[in-house]
Amino acid sequence: MGCDVMNPTFGFVTNQLKKHNIRLSNRRLKVLEYLCNNQNHPTVDQIYVNLHKDVPTLSKTTIYNTLHTLVEVGLVRVINIEDNETRYDILTEDHGHFKCDSCGKIFNFNVDLDSFTTYELSGFRIMDRNLYFKGICQRCLLNINKNY
Amino acid sequence: MGCDVMNPTFGFVTNQLKKHNIRLSNRRLKVLEYLCNNQNHPTVDQIYVNLHKDVPTLSKTTIYNTLHTLVEVGLVRVINIEDNETRYDILTEDHGHFKCDSCGKIFNFNVDLDSFTTYELSGFRIMDRNLYFKGICQRCLLNINKNY
DNA sequence: ATAAATAATTGTAATGATTACAATTATATT
DNA sequence: AATATAATTGTAATCATTACAATTATTTAT
C-alpha cells in the first residue's frame, strides 16, 4: 500500500498534522485512522458509531471539532451531495464522486478539474472545485436486471 | 426577454406543468413566479420570507411540497453547495455554479457536463451531474483590494 | 349543478444534524 | 511543580426538514 497523496496512510497524515502544528491527541488520531482505513466518505454518525465501540467516551462534538480542524488545514474535504448528510473525504486530490441512488455507495473517479477554466469566471479566485454525479452503479444495475 | 429553457419565464413553466399534469394552484404559481423572477438560487427560507408579504397564509410546508413536486418532474434542480442550505434552481440546463465565500452570491457558468464520460464509470447509469466551485467573486476581490 | 372523490394546503409537532457554551481534563510551557 | 493553553466532553439550543392529521379547494361522476 503506497504512502502517497492518492491513498493517504495514517503515517502520512500524522506527519501532515505535525507540519501544521496540530497536536496529535488520541481522539484526533482515532478519527484520522478511521478516515484512512475506511475511505468510504463517511458521515459524522458513521465515524461516531464505529469509533464508539473502541472508545466509549468519544463524543460526537469531538469528531465535529476534529473534522473542522482537518478541513481548515486542507487535510480533509467536505462532500455535499445529499442535503441531509455531510460526508468527509481524506482524499484531497482532484477527483469526482458518483453516488449510487440505490445502494448509497460513493465512488471516486479521476477528472482533471484543476485545469478547468472559463472566460465567465475570469477575475474570480477559485479555491474549491467539486464535481459529483448521481445515478445507479454497475453492480445495482446488474442486480435490478437479475430480479426482473 | 426570451421564453426559452435557458431563461424560463412564468408562461413557459406553467405550460410545462400542464404537460406533466400538475395542477396549477395559486400557491404553486406563486412559488414558480418567484423562482422565475428571482433566479438567484434561493433557499426555502428566502422564498418563504418574500412570498409571505403578499400571501400571509402561505406555509413553509407548501413551499417544500411544491419544490419537491417540481424537482420530481425535472422543472427545478436542487443545489447542494453548503451543508446547511439547500437551494433551488429553475434553470435545469447543463451548467455549473460558483459560490462566493465573501458575498454568498451564486453565479452560473456554462460547462458541457452532459458529454463528460470516463472509463471508470462505464456500466454506470448517470442521471444527474453537478459541478460547483467556491472562492471569491470578481466584485468582492476588487472591494478587498480597495479596502487594504 | 351537486355530491363524492381526490388533491392541495396548513399548522403543529417530531426528527436529526450541527453548533454554542460552560465545565472538565489533558498537554505544554515556564 | 505551577501556570497557561489547548482538547474534550456533555448538555442544551438552533435550524432545516419531514411526518401527519385536519382542513380546504378542486376535479370527476352523476
Side-chain angles (χ1 to χ4, degrees):
Chain A
M1 192 192 283
C3 183
D4 58 2
V5 186
M6 276 310 285
N7 189 17
T9 60
F10 191 56
F12 172 77
V13 183
T14 51
N15 278 334
Q16 291 298 110
L17 282 188
K18 284 178 198 162
K19 274 190 198 165
H20 287 283
N21 270 330
I22 296 174
R23 201 181 290 172
L24 280 69
S25 71
N26 277 334
R27 303 300 156 96
R28 281 184 179 156
L29 293 177
K30 276 284 173 193
V31 173
L32 269 171
E33 195 181 24
Y34 182 85
L35 285 172
C36 288
N37 293 342
N38 308 274
Q39 296 186 12
N40 296 318
H41 318 88
T43 61
V44 166
D45 198 63
Q46 279 167 7
I47 300 172
Y48 177 73
V49 168
N50 276 278
L51 293 185
H52 197 258
K53 298 171 196 161
D54 295 343
V55 192
T57 58
L58 178 70
S59 77
K60 258 192 188 178
T61 309
T62 296
I63 298 173
Y64 275 109
N65 289 340
T66 301
L67 289 171
H68 289 165
T69 306
L70 298 175
V71 168
E72 238 169 64
V73 299
L75 277 173
V76 163
R77 280 175 71 105
V78 176
I79 312 181
N80 284 307
I81 296 185
E82 233 58 72
D83 33 337
N84 54 343
E85 54 175 38
T86 303
R87 293 173 173 276
Y88 296 88
D89 195 348
I90 191 80
L91 267 189
T92 57
E93 279 292 288
D94 199 23
H95 68 283
H97 292 121
F98 177 97
K99 171 159 181 180
C100 176
D101 287 329
S102 174
C103 66
K105 194 177 166 190
I106 294 179
F107 301 78
N108 295 323
F109 60 88
N110 287 301
V111 56
D112 189 11
L113 280 178
D114 286 349
S115 69
F116 178 87
T117 183
T118 168
Y119 71 96
E120 292 174 283
L121 296 180
S122 65
F124 286 50
R125 181 187 297 157
I126 303 172
M127 296 165 78
D128 190 30
R129 297 162 202 252
N130 297 276
L131 176 67
Y132 68 86
F133 292 175
K134 291 170 80 173
I136 314 281
C137 74
Q138 191 170 30
R139 192 200 180 105
C140 286
L141 279 177
L142 292 174
N143 280 336
I144 290 167
N145 288 337
K146 254 188 246 160
N147 295 333
Y148 292 98
Chain B
M1 194 193 285
C3 181
D4 57 5
V5 187
M6 277 310 286
N7 189 15
T9 61
F10 191 56
F12 171 79
V13 181
T14 51
N15 278 336
Q16 292 297 111
L17 283 188
K18 284 177 198 160
K19 273 190 197 165
H20 286 283
N21 270 329
I22 297 175
R23 201 181 291 173
L24 281 68
S25 70
N26 278 333
R27 303 299 158 101
R28 281 182 179 158
L29 292 178
K30 277 283 173 193
V31 173
L32 268 171
E33 195 182 23
Y34 182 85
L35 285 172
C36 288
N37 293 341
N38 308 272
Q39 296 186 13
N40 296 318
H41 319 88
T43 61
V44 166
D45 197 64
Q46 279 166 8
I47 300 173
Y48 176 73
V49 169
N50 276 278
L51 293 184
H52 197 257
K53 298 171 196 161
D54 295 343
V55 193
T57 57
L58 177 69
S59 77
K60 256 190 188 179
T61 309
T62 297
I63 299 174
Y64 276 108
N65 289 340
T66 301
L67 289 171
H68 290 164
T69 307
L70 297 175
V71 168
E72 236 168 66
V73 299
L75 277 172
V76 164
R77 279 174 72 104
V78 176
I79 312 181
N80 284 307
I81 297 185
E82 232 59 70
D83 33 338
N84 53 343
E85 54 175 38
T86 304
R87 294 173 173 277
Y88 296 88
D89 195 348
I90 191 81
L91 267 188
T92 57
E93 279 292 288
D94 199 21
H95 67 283
H97 293 120
F98 177 96
K99 171 161 184 182
C100 177
D101 287 328
S102 173
C103 66
K105 194 176 167 191
I106 294 179
F107 301 79
N108 295 323
F109 60 87
N110 287 301
V111 56
D112 190 10
L113 280 177
D114 286 351
S115 68
F116 177 88
T117 183
T118 167
Y119 71 96
E120 292 173 282
L121 297 178
S122 66
F124 286 49
R125 182 188 296 158
I126 303 172
M127 297 166 78
D128 190 28
R129 297 162 204 251
N130 297 275
L131 176 65
Y132 68 86
F133 291 174
K134 291 170 80 173
I136 314 280
C137 76
Q138 190 169 32
R139 192 200 182 105
C140 286
L141 279 178
L142 293 174
N143 281 335
I144 290 167
N145 289 336
K146 252 188 246 161
N147 295 333
Y148 293 98

